[in-house]
Structures are given as C-alpha cells and as structure tokens.
Amino acid sequence: MSADVRILAAEPGCHLFSGCGFEAPTIGMFFPEPWITGIPGTAGIDLYLVLLLIALGAVLLLWSWFSKKLTLVPGRRQSVGEMFVLFIRDQITRPTMGAKGDSFIPLMTAIFSFILLMNFTGLIPGGLPVNSDLSFPAMLAGFIFILTLIIGMKRQGGWGYIRNQIFPPGMPKPIYLLVTPIEILSVFVIRPVTHALRLFATMFAGSLLLAVFAYGGWYMLNISAEPALAALSVVYSGAALLGYILFFVFEILIMVVQAFIFTLLASLYINQSLEAAH
C-alpha cells in the first residue's frame, strides 16, 4: 500500500509539462530485494518477512493486552476484547457451524486478527500488505485445507470423509459419473486455490491502484513550469491526491472485509468436515 512512498522517488524530475512521459508503477514493487541474504534454509530477510513479524507481534501484543487482568465485571479494555470475540461468534462461527462451532472461536479469532493485521501492514509508510505476496495467503489456505482433512477424517473416518465429499448422497447412481469428477476438482483443488487467490488478488490490486494514484499525483505536480501551467498541474495533482485519499479509506474497508470473508469461508469449510452432508 504505502510502498508508493518509496516509488515517488523513482524519477524526481519527471513531471507534467516537462517533456517526459508518465511511467506507471509495475508489479516489480511487489518483489522487494532481500535486505540480508546467505541465511541457511531461507531466501533471506526481506520486507515481507519483517512485516509478517510485525503483524504477528501486533496480534500477540493486542490479545495479551485484551486478556490482561481478566475480571468477572469487565473493564473497558476487556470489554473491547469480548466484543471482538462475540463478533466472531455471532457473525462467523454460529451462522456457519451453530453452537458446536463455539470450540473453534479461538481459532477463528486468531485467523481473523492475523489476516487483518497482515493486511494493515500496507498502511505502514514504505510497507505493503503481507497478503499481496501469494505465498502467505497460500500458506493460510493450505493450513485450513489440511485442518479440514484432519477433522473430517477424524469425525467421519478416512474413506467416509472422502466418500461424503465426492459422492453427495441422494443422487441417482448414473449422475455420479458427472458429479464425482466435479466434486473432486472442487473440494480438493478449486476450494483451497480460490481461498488463497481471493485474498491475494484483492490486496495486490488495491496496492497497485493506490500506487497509480500516487505516481499520477506526483507526475502531474510541476510547480517549476510556467505560472499558468503550474497552477493547472496543482489542480490535476490535487484531484489525484483526493482520489488517493478516498481510495485509501475504501481500501481499509476492503482489508477488513477480506479478513472477514477468509475467516468465514474457513469456518464454513471446517463445518463441512464436522458432519456428513444430508
């Protein structure tokens, strides 16, 4: 998100009316060079890893703060934490799993908090949303996929779980020739892939659009031109800045919504593993 702050210095002398063309941001902004290399077993330390650790640390500090000195009659700090947990229960686990999903509230709360703060790293000056790197949403989606397999096989048995997934009950047997391949592809391939891609693509596109606004605003600002042109460039640049601010606020909402959707789908997939379809 705020990686555009770094980008603005790319061509400091290239502005509107200066004779040079506008150079739009590229996807290269999402592939920062490692700061430290040569660490055995790793690709090095780069911006994404640092932001990931910041998000993880923020989650731990946040919930440590919420749960500090818990009392029967909650204070203001504890009340905020309880409101957050109740939101996860009433808007995610209960609608998808019913009362039996209460045991998954801590997991869903952790997932939502972690993804939200991974998205919010894009608000840090010079940062990017951690989830604009596909490897991180893929890791989270893979974790949910493996967890659903474990829960499903534990509750329904190994073959029982697979059978219930690929042979939906209540259908005429000849229909399975058509339905079963689709179900195999849907449950074991499309579901985890789209679970990751939905989060990644939204964070990636939002960051790129904000960078375009930032690039454009910087390019159109040319106070060294003739007075009339300089005034015109300020108007153009101001319009780009307004667009940046409006979309920045909208992107914050999108970050929250995407964390909610990812967690909601995770809860829904886990519920499908808890019991066979009827």
Side-chain angles (χ1 to χ4, degrees), residues 32-37 43-47:
E33 292 293 328
W35 295 334
I36 301 176
T37 58
I45 297 176
D46 62 4
L47 176 64

Side-chain angles (χ1 to χ4, degrees), residues 125-137:
L128 286 165
V130 174
N131 289 314
S132 62
D133 184 324
L134 180 57
S135 59
F136 297 104

Side-chain angles (χ1 to χ4, degrees), residues 36-276:
I36 301 176
T37 58
I39 302 176
T42 71
I45 297 176
D46 62 4
L47 176 64
Y48 283 117
L49 179 58
V50 172
L51 293 175
L52 175 67
L53 294 176
I54 290 174
L56 178 59
V59 170
L60 295 175
L61 288 175
L62 179 67
W63 285 104
S64 295
W65 183 68
F66 282 152
S67 59
K68 185 178 181 181
K69 296 181 180 179
L70 297 178
T71 59
L72 186 61
V73 179
R76 184 176 303 175
R77 180 188 65 249
Q78 184 178 331
S79 295
V80 173
E82 290 182 359
M83 288 173 59
F84 194 98
V85 173
L86 289 175
F87 169 79
I88 298 296
R89 186 195 70 179
D90 296 339
Q91 302 301 323
I92 295 180
T93 60
R94 286 282 177 90
T96 57
M97 293 190 274
K100 67 179 181 296
D102 287 356
S103 59
F104 290 93
I105 290 177
L107 174 63
M108 295 299 115
T109 301
I111 290 174
F112 180 85
S113 304
F114 190 38
I115 292 176
L116 183 61
L117 289 173
M118 287 170 72
N119 291 343
F120 279 175
T121 56
L123 306 178
I124 300 174
L128 286 165
V130 174
N131 289 314
S132 62
D133 184 324
L134 180 57
S135 59
F136 297 104
M139 174 190 66
L140 292 168
F143 166 74
I144 296 299
F145 177 66
I146 293 173
L147 183 61
T148 59
L149 291 179
I150 294 173
I151 294 174
M153 292 181 179
K154 182 178 179 180
R155 290 295 186 96
Q156 305 172 39
W159 169 242
Y161 171 72
I162 296 175
R163 182 187 64 241
N164 291 328
Q165 295 297 314
I166 66 177
F167 296 109
M171 291 186 177
K173 291 185 178 180
I175 299 297
Y176 286 128
L177 294 175
L178 176 64
V179 171
T180 297
I182 296 175
E183 290 296 320
I184 292 174
L185 186 64
S186 174
V187 173
F188 299 105
V189 179
I190 295 177
R191 180 189 292 179
V193 169
T194 56
H195 200 191
L197 286 180
R198 184 180 291 104
L199 177 59
F200 157 73
T202 309
M203 292 299 99
F204 183 93
S207 297
L208 194 57
L209 283 173
L210 278 176
V212 169
F213 278 114
Y215 261 90
W218 179 251
Y219 173 76
M220 288 185 285
L221 181 62
N222 188 356
I223 58 177
S224 63
E226 298 178 9
L229 295 179
L232 188 60
S233 78
V234 170
V235 173
Y236 289 159
S237 182
L241 176 61
L242 178 60
Y244 179 91
I245 293 173
L246 292 176
F247 191 77
F248 185 85
V249 174
F250 179 69
E251 186 65 8
I252 294 175
L253 175 62
I254 294 299
M255 290 176 174
V256 177
V257 170
Q258 285 303 312
F260 176 81
I261 291 175
F262 188 97
T263 311
L264 182 68
L265 289 173
S267 182
L268 181 64
Y269 296 155
I270 290 174
N271 179 62
Q272 293 175 356
S273 296
L274 291 174
E275 55 187 27

